[in-house]
């Protein structure tokens, strides 16, 4: 099913059938039929259409993801992912991070076919980078969803306000103000993300 929407400057929710939530297969087919849309799925089966990123927010997200990718290649314990991937989580939601890292062990639990669609697994580590138009409460809600579904470590980077919220499981996030870098732990121990370029933006 293809859909046409007006230009969006805020997320829009599409409810197909409240009584019969969309299956994983139908959801993947919907996304494949509408590749121009950036979508996520709520735990209730609602499809959330997110407007495209602005130039500065995309630069910041790509900078963070690029540094994670280079580290992951050298480290060898897992693989990094960018914003185009979507993970199907235990609560039924489908979320896309700005960047994520998954261990080789978790990746090995899925078949090649499963990996070529939306992988049904929880990344150990995610990074979300706030856009200037993002509301903090909305960004924090998404981080909490990641944590509730089993993400071990998450960073919410607010470049404009020069701070990082560090999520470790479902505990209250720790706020770090004016950091020059942030350091990984647990599954991504050894990863260091410099923040000067991300904070400066364009």
């Amino acid at each position: 099913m293809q859909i046409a929407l007006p230009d969006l400057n805020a997320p829009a929710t599409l409810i197909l059938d409240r009584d019969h939530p969309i299956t994983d297969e139908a959801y993947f087919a919907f996304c494949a039929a509408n590749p121009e849309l950036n979508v996520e799925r709520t735990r209730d089966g609602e499809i959330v259409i997110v407007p495209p990123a602005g130039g500065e927010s995309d630069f910041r997200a790509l900078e963070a993801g690029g540094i994670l990718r280079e580290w992951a290649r050298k480290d060898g314990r897992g693989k990094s992912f960018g914003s185009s991937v979507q993970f199907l989580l235990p609560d039924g939601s489908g979320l896309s991070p700005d960047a994520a890292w998954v261990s080789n062990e978790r990746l090995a639990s899925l078949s090649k076919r499963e990996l070529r669609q939306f992988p049904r697994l929880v990344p150990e580590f995610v990074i979300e980078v706030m856009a200037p138009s993002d509301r903090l409460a909305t960004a924090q809600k998404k981080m909490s969803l990641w944590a509730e579904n089993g993400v071990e470590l998450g960073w919410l980077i607010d470049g404009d306000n020069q701070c990082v919220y560090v999520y470790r499981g479902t505990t209250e996030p720790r706020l770090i103000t004016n950091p020059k870098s942030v350091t990984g732990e647990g599954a991504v121990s050894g990863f260091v993300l410099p923040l000067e370029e991300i904070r400066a933006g364009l």
Side-chain angles (χ1 to χ4, degrees):
M1 172 189 9
Q2 287 186 303
I3 61 171
L5 292 171
D7 291 340
L8 297 175
N9 55 21
T13 300
L14 178 66
I15 302 171
L16 299 180
D17 188 339
R18 288 189 183 276
D19 297 324
H20 301 89
I22 190 169
T23 65
D24 291 349
E25 292 74 16
Y27 177 57
F28 184 79
F30 171 86
C31 294
N34 297 277
E36 73 284 0
L37 297 181
N38 180 19
V39 303
E40 294 183 320
R41 185 177 70 180
T42 71
R43 67 181 70 184
D44 298 318
E46 299 167 345
I47 294 175
V48 179
I49 303 169
V50 183
E56 186 165 59
S57 58
D58 186 67
F59 165 79
R60 285 171 163 166
L62 189 60
E63 182 76 10
I67 295 170
L68 177 62
R69 177 179 179 269
E70 290 304 309
W71 173 81
R73 291 179 67 180
K74 293 176 182 177
D75 179 75
R77 291 177 291 164
K79 301 290 192 297
S80 66
F81 294 84
S83 59
S84 296
V85 73
Q86 186 158 141
F87 297 101
L88 300 182
L89 303 177
D91 70 352
S93 58
L95 297 181
S96 296
D98 284 320
W101 182 93
V102 182
S103 66
N104 293 328
E105 182 179 4
R106 288 194 185 181
L107 291 171
S109 69
L110 299 183
S111 68
K112 190 68 146 180
R113 180 179 179 276
E114 291 171 322
L115 289 170
R116 286 182 172 177
Q117 298 189 358
F118 295 152
R120 179 171 284 284
L121 57 76
V122 179
E124 284 95 335
F125 172 60
V126 299
I127 300 174
E128 297 284 1
V129 182
M130 289 186 64
S133 60
D134 285 345
R135 296 175 57 191
L136 179 60
T138 302
Q140 289 180 324
K141 182 178 179 181
K142 184 176 180 182
M143 293 301 299
S144 294
L145 282 175
W146 282 120
E148 290 166 9
N149 279 280
V151 168
E152 298 169 13
L153 179 67
W155 296 342
L156 174 60
I157 301 173
D158 184 348
D160 281 357
N161 291 305
Q162 301 188 8
C163 64
V164 178
Y165 296 86
V166 178
Y167 288 74
R168 296 186 185 90
T170 56
T171 60
E172 284 296 311
R174 178 168 63 99
L175 174 62
I176 306 174
T177 57
N178 299 313
K180 292 184 178 180
S181 64
V182 63
T183 302
E185 54 194 89
V188 289
S189 60
F191 173 54
V192 178
L193 178 64
L195 293 171
E196 288 88 347
E197 292 289 331
I198 295 171
R199 292 193 306 182
L202 296 176

